[in-house]
Amino acid sequence: MNLPISLTLLRIFFVPLLVVLLLTKGHNMDLWAVGVFLLAAATDLLDGYLARKRGQITTLGILLDPIADKLLVSSALISLVELHLIAAWMVVIIVGREFAVTGLRGIASAEGFALEASELGKTKMVFEVVAITVIALEPRYPHMHPLGELLLWAVVAFALVSAVQYFWSFWRKLDVRLKRSPLRP
């Protein structure tokens, strides 16, 4: 197992720890939770960078990386709903988008093409990390609430727009593939 895959697995193993830290009341637990979350999010940047730099891009890494991302972000968002820091409907939209795009990528793969990560999707991830960090710190720093809410609205917007982009890309690629198909009348 190479270093990039090890970092991806580390991100997955951070998920239960993050949930426990977020949901446990205690001295500085919120700071520990944010620290673990940011460390886990940093592994997302690092694993891809190292995989490309070292020529260690693998099928396992390609499959595990988005799963690790979705587990990390979804578990943090659901925990924040449990803490009554964010509205459940917003999390349903964000997590629902993740399931939809993951399913779409699976269908694309079965059809013989890939849907690469888009810039909008990457931007959404950055906003997710910042929003989750700010919102997790809101009980300690209540003046951060407006910023957290604004960031969460941005995440919802990027989630919806990037989902439309992925579906548009899928249909375009599928249409091109079908037009080239020898079975077409």
Side-chain angles (χ1 to χ4, degrees), residues 75-91:
S75 65
L77 289 170
I78 292 167
S79 296
L80 293 173
V81 168
E82 174 66 20
L83 294 169
H84 305 287
L85 294 174
I86 56 178
W89 69 266
M90 295 177 107
V91 173

Side-chain angles (χ1 to χ4, degrees), residues 62-105:
I62 290 169
L63 293 172
L64 277 182
D65 184 66
I67 291 170
D69 295 346
K70 286 159 185 42
L71 284 171
L72 178 68
V73 169
S74 297
S75 65
L77 289 170
I78 292 167
S79 296
L80 293 173
V81 168
E82 174 66 20
L83 294 169
H84 305 287
L85 294 174
I86 56 178
W89 69 266
M90 295 177 107
V91 173
V92 168
I93 289 172
I94 296 164
V95 173
R97 177 259 186 215
E98 299 302 334
F99 280 109
V101 170
T102 298
L104 195 63
R105 282 186 165 147

